[in-house]
Every structure is written in structure tokens, then in C-alpha cells.
Amino acid sequence: MTDALDSLVLTLDSLLTSLKAAIPAGDQWRSVEACAKQIADGLRTKNGPAKPELSITKVDNHSQLGKSTLPETLNGLLRVATRREDDGAGYGKPTSPASAAATYELLRVGANLCMDHDGNRQRLLEVGYTESVLSILEAYWEGVSGSSETEASASTATLNDLKLVKTAVGVLLNASMGYEPVRISLVTAGAPLTILSLSCRLYSPGAWASATSDDALEQWGWRSGLSTWSWRALDTLKGGDEDDPHEEGTAERSSRQHSIFDAAATSSLIGSLRSFVPPHSPAVASSAFSKADRQKLVISDVEVLEETSMLLESLTLDSVDVRRKIAAGSISSPTPTAQNPFPPPPLLTSLLDFIEKGAPPTYWDSCTDSEAERKRWNKSFGICKAAVIKAVVELAGEDKNMDVLWDSQVGSYPGGPFVERMVGWIKNTKVEGGEEAGNEQDKGRDDLIICAALSLGNLARRPSYCIALLAPPISLTQHFMPLLNAKTDIKLKHGCIGLLKHVAQPPPNKVILGDAGLVEALVASRIWTKESDMGEPVQFGAVGVVKHLSYEYLPNALRLVKSQSSLEGDSALDLILDLVRRSDSIGLQSEGTRVLVNVVKCLFSSTSKRPNGAEPAVNSSAGSSTELSIRTTDLTSSRERQQAIDRLATLDSVELLTDMVGRSGRYPILLNEGVVALTLLSSASAGRTCALQALLSPLPYALTQSGAIQTAPPVGHTQISTVPAAQHLDDKTVPSTARTSSPLDMLVAILRNLNNSFPPELGANVCIFLASLTPPMTDANQEEFSKVRVATKGALESVAAGLSGRSFADGPPKVVQAAAKRTLDVWASFPHGKGVNAIGNATQMRK
């Protein structure tokens, strides 16, 4: 340590002693200011001058001063300068202009002392210096938190206040950067919220544009610097690897910042977003700034917009408390009071206003000569608005917000003000690129429709809500069809289809949407064609819509099977089944096949004409009735119905059902649905023929890679092998020992049920299906049937004898045992022919 700095430290020690002994005097604080300034300036460089007489080439000032009394003296002087004389308790802001000036220099000393020096960071932490600095920031926050956002930005904070606050933030930034003990201490003490709140209040984006004071340039230079340092400090306090090359963007940083904040941060974040909602105060930025200065301030505005919107998005995604806080109070306007005559709008209202009305201020264009920079600012604004949309959609999906956002008690509009605003966005917003969009000045707003559709989709999880959305006065049905236009952006289709998946489920809505032409509109949208395969999640959603529409409602099932003139004879179901065949997604394959299941069940059921929740003829749930009541009376009652059945009783359709059975070992409901549909189709001669062929065909290799499938051995073997499960039922998941098997193997595995994996009802339905495959004596498929019988007879006999299942003491459930006996009785009437001998010989040879 140089002699000069050593002397200055001793002087500060002396001044601290005298200030503690008496009421602080202005001259003493000015002396503190002068000494501290010299020390701070000396610490701006890492090393001091050399001392040849001591054989020292350079002096490490930081280490030497850190080991001196300086850290204790700094903390002592800060506490004296900010001591609250009114109540004698705690510490606040500096008590006089002289002590404020001295505090500023004391903060500079602390910031420079701990810069890139862990030893000094620890010393400042141990003596309580960082705690004292945080107390100063908290005191300043108390001073501005009661004022409005505009007042705090325009007049409440003086230039000296801004300098002091910015420097205090700099101290905490330097002290915590890369040093966990200080970081953890500050996070525990609530520093992130204090820094965020103070920064957002003291730097209101765009407020500089109307500044006209003589010191406006200097004022807003400090405000802008305070904002930048604050966001850097928050980035440091969140923790993680500062040099991680994978975390260069704002979104990545914000995703980790959420852990240092709670719901209290939302008010400050949303308050900053209000600055971007028109009317913007000036149309032209203040002449107090040069173009270069205005450009720098716009860059600061964009930084605040990016940081607040991304952090708000991550908080909303990860915190139930944040979602509840934003939705609390919904969007009803607050009542002004004498203490707060101009209260800010509710948080949710502010977010919706930002989405709907928020726009880059017009003066941004005049703040730069670079067209590329203008485009970059506008692009950033769009990205930030998308982040806020995600936040709104997420809070609408919070279960605890359902009764808040859908408030039937407010006014006469169903659902209340939030629902009314979302519906208004769908009804009154023009689609980008649509016929109504007009010119550039009258372009559409897809983002509003997407936000509204996804939000209502998340909210409409009760049948009464879904019904209300299609019933007067909301009546959204007619507004869905234009959104499904083939030229509509895929993101807009995703939002619309996401809402339709919910509203298509209640029985009354099946009639409304079907009669309105929703099936035809989905076909015209070309969402299921090969050209749309890049949007697989949207295709999946559209398949889900028609799955709900066709469930237990015959007219919609017939619409799916009916040929479409626009498809040159193909039907909507043809498009879906083609999509299933070319897709690699197991989920999409199963969902598309379930549409076929629903259509088949409707065609064979006499109750599916009435969408009133009546019991279906064949229950698709594995835990429901086991009796498959095959109704033949309707097969000849309607030519249209019969034509549809003939169209589906093909090998292509049946193979999709057997494929689903073969790959769904972990999903008893899918197994049961496939078995039920196969049983119904097998009641027709053509369907039975196809079922026999499909059961004996090996599954495509890809279908045997889908996870835990209990498989039967080749025909003639009696052991059951189990394919080890993959970790996930995802696309292209390949267990190491996967092998090809046939759908027939899965039926045998269900009957044997070695691990008790399948419900009894499923086993009983398999028995009934096998019985339905029995052909007439003159049938040409007797050989195929004989192969099926040989492969499954052993398992049926074990079940019928009570020797199958996990517990031999209890035996198989009675319902399965009875069904197995009935199947064997039916087969007993079918004599052994050449086919049986042939397959028996083949089995013997394989042994």
C-alpha cells in the first residue's frame, strides 16, 4: 500500500471516531468525501507504484487495503451517514447533502475495492458493508414506492440521488460477481426485488422523451446507467455460469432469474410494460438530446422491454403464486381514492392493453439513421409481445384462476370481462393475409386471435363454459371457419384448433359444429395433407377435434366418411388415415386410429344418433361393461350407414386397428378400443376376412419399437416373452432387444395376463372378438381362422380352466373365464380341416 493511501485510510479512521462522538458536521463530511474520493480514484488501477528501496516492483493496493482497517471504516462511516435520527432505529438515506456526497464516494471505494478480488469481497461481507449498502437502496425504494411511476421518473429523484443509487447497485454487482457467499447473502436478504423495483421506478422507458430540464441529459444518462447496471446485477444474483456460451440471450438469462423472485416482482415488471402502451407522451423526442443520445436511450428502453417481458414470461410459467397474483381482481378498474386518485389499472388489464395496443413509439424512427437498427427494435418488440402472450395464456390455464377469469357474476356477459375481451378479439380482429385485412395500414392482428383462442381454450375446461362459447350471445361458431382457411398462418390455426378441441366435447356442441361445416372446413384447410406435415402438433390437434365430434354422434361420423368433392372422392377420414400411415409419431398414429374407432362404433350403434350423453352401444373404456352388444338392426336401416361400413371394412382400415392393438401394450384403454372396433367390423363378412389377414401379418418393425409390449411366441410355442420397455413412448424410441411380432401375440398376452397388467373387461372383450372371427362353413378363410385358433386356443383353455393370471389360487376373473368358455363353445362347432393339419405340421417342423 502506498504511503499516500495509507495516510488517507488513517484519516478516515480518525474522522469516523470524531463523527461517532458528536453530531456530524458538514466540514467533517466534506473531509470524508475528499479522502474517500482519493482512495476510490487510487483503486481504479490494480497496482500502485513500485518501491525500489523495498525491492517491490509493484504494489497490490487492493489486497493491502483489504487487509487494513478500511473495510470496517467504510461500513462505520456508511452507518453514521445513514443513521435515522428520528427514531434512532435502523439506517436509511444519507441525512444531509454533505453526508450524501460523502456516501457516494464511500460507495465508490467499496465498489473498486472488491472488483475482481474475492478476498476483499469476503472482508466487506464479514464487516457488514454489503448489508449497509442494501439498506441504503431499501431506504431509497421506500422514498419512491409511494409515488406514481411518472412522478418518480420525472422529479422525485435528484441527480445526486441517482448517482448514489447507481453506485450502490454497482457495489452489489462487483461484490457478488462470481462469488457465492455474497450472492447468497444478498439473495437471502431480498436484494433482487429491491434492485428490480428501484430500477423500474427510477427508469421508466420513454419518459426521457418529454424531459426538458437543463440537466435532462445528465439525469437520464445516470438513469439509463442505473437500469443497465441493475439488470447486470440481477443476472449475477441469479447464479449460474457467467461464462456459459449457451446462455447469451435474454430469454435464457430470464429463465434462471425466476428463482430469485416471487409474485411481488410482477407489479414492477408490468409497470414497465405500461410505458409502451399509447398514447406515448411526445410524438417527437425532446430536443434536449442529440440523435446519438436518443439512440442510446432507445437502446436502454429496448433492454428494459426485453428483460421485463422475458422475466415475466418465465415467472408466469413457473410460479402458481405469480399466475394467481396477476389474475387477482381480473380486469375490473380500481376505484380512485384521496390518497391515490389515479390508481394503475389491474395487472391483467395492463398485460392485455400491452398485447392489444402496445407499439414502438413513433419517435424511435428519428433516433437512428440505421434502417437495420429500426428493424431490430421492431423485431424485438414483437418477440417481447409474444412472451407476454405466453404469460397470459399460461395464467388462463391455472386451475385456481378458473373461477376468477370466468366470472359469471360480473355484469350480464357470460364469463365476465376477461372472457368478453377475449371473445371480442376473435370476433373483431382481422386475419393477417385474409380478405378483410386490407392494406398495410389496416393489416390483421393474428397475435390477438391466437392469444384469445389459446386463453379461452385453457379456460374452457368445463362443459358449461364450452357450451356458453357457442351459445348466444357469444356464438363463436361462425367465427371459427374463416380462421381455418388454407392460407391462414399455421400458428393461428394452432390457436383456433386448440380452442375447438375443448368446445367440441359437450354433446350439444357436436351438433352445432357439425351442422356449421367444421369437418368440411378442416378438410379445406388442408391441415391433414402432406404439405402440412411440418405442423404435426396442429395436425394432432385437428385429429383430436374430429375425434370428439364423432364420439357417439352418427351424423358427424358420416361426415367424416363422406367423399369430399374437393378431394376427388376421398373423405376426411381418408386424409386422417393416410396421415397415420405416413407419420412416425406413435401419439399421432394412436389418435388418428381412435377417430376410426369412434366412426366404427357410431356406424354399428343405434344410440349414436342422439348426442345427449346416452349410453353407447359398445363402451370403449377398459373399465366398463364387457358385453359387446353388436347391433345388426341398423345395418340395413340406412343406405348411407351401410355404404360407410362397406367403405371401412377394408384391409387398410383393419390393419390400422390391429397395428394399434399390437403397439399399445402399456395402454389398456387403447387396446380395448381397438378390440371393440375389430369385433364390430368382423360382424361383416368383408371385415372378418380382413381381420383374419391382419392378425396374422407381422407388425411393421417401427411398431414393435414403441415400448413395453408383452408378446406371445411364434405359433405353436407356449412361453410368453416380454420385450423390455423403453424409457419413453416417444417417436423412434428403440429398446435394445425389440423384435417383430404380430397383433395376435398381443391378444395372447392379454389372455395370459401374466403380470396382471390388463383389466378383466379387456380379456373378456378379446374372447368375444375371437369368437366373432368364426367363419361360416363355406367361408374361404377357414385356413386363416384355423391359424388364429391354434395360436390362441391354449391361452383360452387355460383361462377357461382357471389356470391363467398372476394368482393361481384365485384364478382368472369369472367374467373372463365365462367369456373364454363361450368362445371355445363357438369354436367347437367349427370342425378341424386341412388348414389345421397344415399349420400343425408347420409348427412341428419349426420345433
Side-chain angles (χ1 to χ4, degrees), residues 807-846:
S807 174
F808 288 96
D810 297 334
K814 292 182 179 181
V815 65
V816 185
Q817 189 173 7
K821 290 179 179 179
R822 286 198 298 271
T823 300
L824 291 172
D825 290 343
V826 172
W827 284 1
S829 64
F830 183 79
H832 295 278
K834 294 182 179 180
V836 176
N837 295 331
I839 192 67
N841 294 335
T843 302
Q844 185 65 35
M845 289 176 63
R846 280 197 295 271

XYZ file of all heavy atoms in Angstrom, residues 807-846:
295
model
N -52.403 -64.876 -9.988
C -52.677 -65.637 -8.777
C -53.421 -66.916 -9.145
O -54.597 -66.895 -9.492
C -53.525 -64.803 -7.797
O -53.892 -65.581 -6.695
N -52.717 -68.062 -9.120
C -53.362 -69.331 -9.434
C -54.344 -69.741 -8.351
O -55.245 -70.531 -8.576
C -52.306 -70.419 -9.624
C -51.522 -70.263 -10.893
C -50.303 -69.618 -10.894
C -52.028 -70.737 -12.087
C -49.581 -69.478 -12.064
C -51.314 -70.593 -13.264
C -50.082 -69.960 -13.261
N -54.183 -69.190 -7.133
C -55.105 -69.517 -6.048
C -56.494 -68.971 -6.361
O -57.507 -69.633 -6.149
C -54.584 -68.958 -4.728
N -56.503 -67.725 -6.875
C -57.793 -67.098 -7.175
C -58.275 -67.434 -8.578
O -59.478 -67.426 -8.839
C -57.672 -65.582 -7.021
C -57.327 -65.194 -5.585
O -57.666 -65.969 -4.685
O -56.707 -64.128 -5.394
N -57.322 -67.707 -9.499
C -57.723 -67.967 -10.863
C -58.099 -66.689 -11.571
O -58.136 -65.607 -10.987
N -58.383 -66.773 -12.857
C -58.769 -65.581 -13.610
C -60.146 -65.089 -13.164
O -60.950 -65.857 -12.619
C -58.797 -66.080 -15.054
C -59.075 -67.546 -14.938
C -58.389 -67.981 -13.677
N -60.466 -63.827 -13.371
C -61.793 -63.308 -13.006
C -62.896 -64.101 -13.708
O -62.725 -64.603 -14.821
C -61.731 -61.855 -13.490
C -60.276 -61.524 -13.513
C -59.578 -62.792 -13.902
N -64.021 -64.206 -13.051
C -65.115 -65.014 -13.589
C -65.598 -64.501 -14.940
O -65.975 -65.293 -15.805
C -66.271 -65.027 -12.593
C -65.955 -65.792 -11.307
C -67.170 -65.802 -10.376
C -66.861 -66.595 -9.103
N -68.017 -66.641 -8.186
N -65.595 -63.190 -15.110
C -66.104 -62.643 -16.365
C -65.227 -63.076 -17.533
O -65.719 -63.370 -18.628
C -66.198 -61.096 -16.285
C -64.830 -60.451 -16.133
C -66.902 -60.538 -17.510
N -63.911 -63.145 -17.326
C -63.017 -63.592 -18.385
C -63.164 -65.103 -18.591
O -63.188 -65.590 -19.726
C -61.554 -63.240 -18.037
C -60.632 -63.601 -19.200
C -61.423 -61.768 -17.685
N -63.275 -65.817 -17.517
C -63.409 -67.274 -17.604
C -64.677 -67.657 -18.363
O -64.651 -68.543 -19.229
C -63.427 -67.868 -16.195
C -63.338 -69.381 -16.155
C -63.199 -69.896 -14.720
O -63.307 -69.135 -13.773
N -62.962 -71.195 -14.569
N -65.768 -66.952 -18.068
C -67.034 -67.257 -18.755
C -66.941 -66.924 -20.237
O -67.422 -67.685 -21.099
C -68.169 -66.462 -18.104
N -66.313 -65.787 -20.569
C -66.184 -65.406 -21.972
C -65.308 -66.399 -22.723
O -65.585 -66.739 -23.883
C -65.602 -63.997 -22.073
N -64.249 -66.883 -22.077
C -63.373 -67.863 -22.729
C -64.125 -69.165 -23.004
O -63.967 -69.779 -24.074
C -62.154 -68.132 -21.844
N -64.944 -69.594 -22.063
C -65.722 -70.816 -22.266
C -66.693 -70.660 -23.435
O -66.854 -71.589 -24.243
C -66.487 -71.170 -20.993
C -65.598 -71.652 -19.851
C -66.430 -71.964 -18.610
C -65.543 -72.474 -17.469
N -66.342 -72.761 -16.244
N -67.343 -69.492 -23.523
C -68.289 -69.279 -24.624
C -67.568 -69.309 -25.967
O -68.088 -69.838 -26.962
C -69.014 -67.951 -24.438
C -70.064 -67.979 -23.339
C -71.042 -66.813 -23.485
N -70.360 -65.516 -23.363
C -70.174 -64.877 -22.223
N -70.613 -65.424 -21.084
N -69.554 -63.713 -22.190
N -66.366 -68.713 -26.028
C -65.606 -68.713 -27.276
C -65.229 -70.132 -27.672
O -65.357 -70.527 -28.843
C -64.340 -67.847 -27.128
O -64.719 -66.509 -26.815
C -63.510 -67.853 -28.402
N -64.784 -70.913 -26.711
C -64.436 -72.301 -27.015
C -65.651 -73.102 -27.461
O -65.549 -73.981 -28.335
C -63.790 -72.950 -25.789
C -62.391 -72.420 -25.407
C -61.949 -72.998 -24.071
C -61.380 -72.759 -26.498
N -66.820 -72.794 -26.886
C -68.051 -73.488 -27.311
C -68.388 -73.144 -28.752
O -68.812 -74.010 -29.529
C -69.207 -73.084 -26.394
C -69.052 -73.667 -24.991
O -68.266 -74.620 -24.821
O -69.716 -73.137 -24.049
N -68.212 -71.860 -29.115
C -68.474 -71.459 -30.504
C -67.514 -72.172 -31.435
O -67.898 -72.680 -32.497
C -68.351 -69.928 -30.655
C -68.415 -69.524 -32.119
C -69.439 -69.234 -29.858
N -66.258 -72.243 -31.066
C -65.256 -72.887 -31.919
C -65.498 -74.395 -32.040
O -65.115 -75.008 -33.033
C -63.868 -72.647 -31.347
C -63.359 -71.249 -31.607
C -64.007 -70.253 -32.247
C -62.092 -70.735 -31.212
N -63.236 -69.124 -32.287
C -62.047 -69.389 -31.660
C -61.005 -71.263 -30.527
C -60.935 -68.577 -31.436
C -59.898 -70.463 -30.316
C -59.861 -69.132 -30.764
N -66.108 -74.958 -31.018
C -66.343 -76.414 -31.052
C -67.245 -76.810 -32.208
O -67.209 -77.955 -32.684
C -66.941 -76.878 -29.732
N -68.050 -75.865 -32.669
C -68.947 -76.156 -33.786
C -68.231 -76.069 -35.132
O -68.803 -76.421 -36.158
C -70.121 -75.169 -33.782
O -69.655 -73.847 -34.001
N -66.960 -75.596 -35.127
C -66.199 -75.483 -36.361
C -65.236 -76.659 -36.453
O -64.326 -76.784 -35.638
C -65.413 -74.168 -36.374
C -64.642 -73.948 -37.658
C -65.291 -73.492 -38.802
C -63.287 -74.208 -37.715
C -64.591 -73.278 -39.972
C -62.579 -74.013 -38.895
C -63.232 -73.542 -40.022
N -65.423 -77.582 -37.426
C -64.614 -78.815 -37.470
C -63.178 -78.542 -37.901
O -62.893 -77.562 -38.559
C -65.348 -79.667 -38.504
C -65.976 -78.649 -39.430
C -66.395 -77.510 -38.533
N -62.277 -79.394 -37.501
C -60.878 -79.314 -37.925
C -60.785 -79.714 -39.387
O -61.286 -80.747 -39.806
C -60.003 -80.256 -37.102
C -59.935 -79.863 -35.658
N -59.091 -78.902 -35.208
C -60.639 -80.292 -34.578
C -59.237 -78.757 -33.906
N -60.187 -79.590 -33.495
N -60.158 -78.884 -40.172
C -59.987 -79.183 -41.590
C -58.537 -79.260 -41.960
O -57.651 -79.357 -41.129
N -58.296 -79.177 -43.253
C -56.933 -79.279 -43.745
C -56.048 -78.156 -43.218
O -54.863 -78.339 -43.037
C -56.938 -79.277 -45.273
C -57.597 -80.513 -45.870
C -57.537 -80.493 -47.375
C -58.174 -81.734 -47.976
N -58.119 -81.715 -49.462
N -56.678 -77.015 -43.029
C -55.880 -75.886 -42.557
C -55.259 -76.184 -41.211
O -54.106 -75.853 -40.973
N -56.009 -76.863 -40.330
C -55.485 -77.172 -39.008
C -54.314 -78.128 -39.114
O -53.280 -77.961 -38.474
C -56.593 -77.752 -38.118
C -56.023 -78.158 -36.768
C -57.711 -76.748 -37.962
N -54.468 -79.164 -39.945
C -53.378 -80.114 -40.087
C -52.140 -79.462 -40.664
O -51.017 -79.728 -40.248
C -53.826 -81.281 -40.980
C -54.941 -82.081 -40.328
O -55.003 -82.134 -39.107
N -55.788 -82.697 -41.144
N -52.375 -78.556 -41.631
C -51.236 -77.904 -42.282
C -50.469 -77.042 -41.303
O -49.240 -77.079 -41.245
C -51.715 -77.066 -43.468
N -51.191 -76.289 -40.521
C -50.497 -75.420 -39.573
C -49.845 -76.235 -38.483
O -48.783 -75.902 -37.970
C -51.467 -74.382 -38.977
C -50.653 -73.287 -38.227
C -52.447 -75.001 -38.019
C -49.828 -72.459 -39.117
N -50.486 -77.350 -38.129
C -49.875 -78.206 -37.123
C -48.562 -78.793 -37.612
O -47.583 -78.874 -36.881
N -48.557 -79.225 -38.877
C -47.315 -79.759 -39.428
C -46.230 -78.696 -39.485
O -45.073 -78.942 -39.187
C -47.571 -80.326 -40.831
C -48.479 -81.547 -40.780
O -48.523 -82.222 -39.749
N -49.174 -81.826 -41.874
N -46.637 -77.495 -39.856
C -45.648 -76.419 -39.958
C -45.064 -76.115 -38.593
O -43.866 -75.878 -38.447
C -46.295 -75.158 -40.554
N -45.941 -76.162 -37.575
C -45.461 -75.900 -36.223
C -44.481 -76.975 -35.782
O -43.456 -76.701 -35.165
C -46.653 -75.841 -35.249
O -47.539 -74.827 -35.689
C -46.184 -75.535 -33.836
N -44.803 -78.248 -36.133
C -43.920 -79.351 -35.751
C -42.552 -79.210 -36.400
O -41.515 -79.459 -35.787
C -44.553 -80.686 -36.171
C -43.773 -81.903 -35.717
C -43.749 -82.021 -34.213
O -44.717 -81.689 -33.548
N -42.620 -82.483 -33.668
N -42.541 -78.738 -37.649
C -41.273 -78.579 -38.352
C -40.437 -77.478 -37.702
O -39.228 -77.592 -37.588
C -41.521 -78.272 -39.831
C -42.068 -79.458 -40.635
S -42.462 -79.015 -42.327
C -40.840 -78.552 -42.920
N -41.083 -76.420 -37.302
C -40.349 -75.318 -36.685
C -39.737 -75.769 -35.369
O -38.683 -75.308 -34.952
C -41.284 -74.123 -36.467
C -41.504 -73.308 -37.730
C -42.075 -71.940 -37.361
N -43.399 -72.051 -36.761
C -44.540 -72.055 -37.440
N -44.499 -71.996 -38.761
N -45.687 -72.145 -36.822
